[in-house]
Amino acid sequence: MKIIQIEVTSRCTAFCIMCPKSCMGELWNSGDLPMDVYRRMSEYFDLFDLIWLQGWGEPLLVKEIFDMVRLAGKVHGSVGLTTNAMLLNEDFSRKLIESGLRVIAISIAGATEKTHENIRRGTIFKKIVENVETLTRLRRSMNAKDLKVIFTFLRIKQNIRELPDVVELAASLDVDEVVGTNLDYIPTREHYDMKIFFEEKPPEEYLEIIRESEEKAKENGISIYNYPVKMDEVAICSENPIENLYVCHDGTVSPCVYLNIPLKTNIFPRYFKGKTYTTEKYIFGDLKKEELTKIIEKRECRDFREIYRKRSEYTSSGSLLSKLMNFGEKPTYPRLPKQCWNCYKAYGV
């Protein structure tokens, strides 16, 4: 298997305008993953290529985060997390490096203070920049060559024009890579109006901005990956439920972060193509009651993955004839699971 994503907490002190936490109010279920559950889970970390310690919350709020990183690094060696970097001061950065962190993704919403703070409300742009400078300086002084530093830039209408400048900011801070992501969980019409991806051809302005960001990255010698901005159904989404698993802070195991949003109800909203739908959480099992390997072997887990295996086989050489018979038309994959058909991740964005 490839990745196990573990939500060590659903708590966060920020109120980002695109985050479901900001619009769910009292329905949001705030909590931390119990350390004893994490320790039991760690027995199976060697089954995965990467341990990712973040879900819908801010992992640096968890007091055991350094122990969690250290344990994952000891068992497996490849461990990473995403953070808003507000707590990433010199002490935290040093401890994360000493604990064996291999990848750190830092969420940034703009190249200017005004843009960033209007989107990621409750965070301070200057402090984040200072903390990233400290982190990369410590990486050099501590000879932590294995640590990769990434900027994750969630592109929405309010900030897309600053993407090329974010690339230059990343280069100036010795950041290794910029990833331009999409607002792919959309609970409301207001969130839908923020997105920059489209069913048809996106505006040329957006495409030009993305091209410029990639040229800037090449000029500055850093990597960049921009998610597509045109919707097209894919055989397997980037969450790859065949090989990846998601663990919520309450210990429940699901195919991905988009099917286990930490709410006090089992139902959550999706706004898809102009209409609001309700979707039920999809949970394979509970680590407080079951072993991880037993959960993976359960019928509901195997059946869910089998749907995606069949979809992936469609793109294999063995299905060449069926692809040729489409005569250049869009492929018609086997039907998506009922939990996924109105998720934007299923359409490549």
Side-chain angles (χ1 to χ4, degrees):
M1 301 185 74
K2 289 189 175 179
I3 302 171
I4 183 167
Q5 182 180 358
I6 304 168
E7 182 183 64
V8 295
T9 183
S10 61
R11 295 183 295 122
C12 187
T13 55
F15 293 91
C16 304
I17 63 172
M18 61 283 186
C19 179
K21 171 179 169 289
S22 299
C23 69
M24 297 300 183
E26 294 183 359
L27 286 177
W28 195 257
N29 184 18
S30 295
D32 297 351
L33 181 74
M35 192 63 187
D36 64 319
V37 174
Y38 184 83
R39 287 195 185 95
R40 290 200 305 272
M41 197 190 325
S42 70
E43 298 175 17
Y44 307 104
F45 281 173
D46 58 357
L47 299 174
F48 300 90
D49 294 338
L50 175 65
I51 318 300
W52 198 261
L53 303 180
Q54 190 261 346
W56 292 101
E58 170 50 54
L60 299 190
L61 290 172
V62 178
K63 63 180 181 180
E64 300 94 349
I65 190 62
F66 307 114
D67 293 332
M68 289 176 162
V69 171
R70 189 176 298 108
L71 183 55
K74 182 179 179 181
V75 172
H76 187 277
S78 188
V79 56
L81 57 80
T82 303
T83 175
N84 62 28
M86 284 296 292
L87 294 174
L88 197 64
N89 56 29
E90 182 156 355
D91 181 51
F92 269 57
S93 292
R94 185 180 299 278
K95 287 180 179 177
L96 286 171
I97 293 172
E98 291 172 346
S99 298
L101 192 70
R102 289 292 178 267
V103 187
I104 184 165
I106 294 157
S107 300
I108 193 158
T112 63
E113 180 178 343
K114 181 179 179 180
T115 300
H116 176 91
E117 294 180 7
N118 280 341
I119 295 170
R120 293 196 173 272
R121 294 172 180 169
T123 67
I124 302 170
F125 180 75
K126 289 181 179 178
K127 186 173 184 178
I128 293 167
V129 170
E130 291 171 1
N131 287 346
V132 175
E133 285 179 323
T134 298
L135 174 67
T136 54
R137 171 177 56 79
L138 285 173
R139 178 173 62 172
R140 293 189 296 271
S141 65
M142 297 174 69
N143 199 30
K145 297 178 181 178
D146 293 335
L147 176 62
K148 183 176 183 179
V149 182
I150 300 171
F151 266 177
T152 55
F153 181 78
L154 199 160
R155 306 165 305 179
I156 54 178
K157 289 178 180 176
Q158 291 89 331
N159 67 8
I160 180 63
R161 292 170 182 82
E162 293 189 16
L163 176 58
D165 293 332
V166 165
V167 172
E168 292 198 325
L169 175 64
S172 72
L173 295 172
D174 200 21
V175 170
D176 303 301
E177 183 176 9
V178 174
V179 179
T181 63
N182 288 313
L183 180 57
D184 39 36
Y185 174 58
I186 297 182
T188 69
R189 176 58 192 258
E190 289 72 24
H191 290 84
Y192 183 83
D193 289 340
M194 298 179 196
K195 70 176 181 60
I196 64 151
F197 59 83
F198 298 84
E199 292 181 60
E200 304 302 327
K201 185 179 179 181
E204 186 60 36
E205 179 193 8
Y206 291 173
L207 297 175
E208 179 56 36
I209 290 168
I210 290 169
R211 284 193 291 267
E212 183 183 352
S213 73
E214 292 168 353
E215 290 170 3
K216 293 279 187 184
K218 186 175 181 180
E219 291 170 6
N220 285 279
I222 68 173
S223 299
I224 189 169
Y225 177 76
N226 278 301
Y227 276 76
V229 289
K230 183 180 182 300
M231 291 172 58
D232 278 309
E233 185 177 346
V234 291
I236 307 173
C237 72
S238 59
E239 299 302 299
N240 192 355
I242 297 176
E243 297 184 298
N244 301 340
L245 276 179
Y246 175 69
V247 179
C248 185
H249 77 276
D250 63 5
T252 53
V253 180
S254 296
C256 70
V257 67
Y258 300 96
L259 282 172
N260 201 348
I261 296 170
L263 300 179
K264 295 173 183 177
T265 172
N266 283 331
I267 302 295
F268 61 92
R270 280 180 179 157
Y271 189 89
F272 184 74
K273 295 186 178 182
K275 187 176 179 180
T276 299
Y277 297 88
T278 55
T279 303
E280 189 172 354
K281 292 181 185 180
Y282 195 57
I283 294 170
F284 295 144
D286 188 341
L287 288 168
K288 296 191 296 294
K289 304 173 184 177
E290 306 164 272
E291 295 296 320
L292 183 60
T293 49
K294 296 295 184 183
I295 293 174
I296 293 172
E297 292 166 1
K298 290 171 73 170
R299 180 176 177 178
E300 49 263 56
C301 184
R302 290 187 284 107
D303 288 351
F304 188 88
R305 288 176 164 174
E306 185 60 25
I307 294 172
Y308 280 101
R309 286 193 183 95
K310 288 178 179 178
R311 289 172 64 86
S312 68
E313 288 168 2
Y314 184 90
T315 62
S316 69
S317 58
S319 299
L320 180 60
L321 179 60
S322 61
K323 287 188 287 185
L324 289 174
M325 289 177 67
N326 281 310
F327 298 107
E329 296 178 2
K330 292 181 181 179
T332 303
Y333 298 107
R335 184 176 296 180
L336 285 159
K338 64 180 182 180
Q339 298 86 0
C340 301
W341 71 268
N342 58 0
C343 175
Y344 287 107
K345 296 299 289 184
Y347 302 90
V349 295

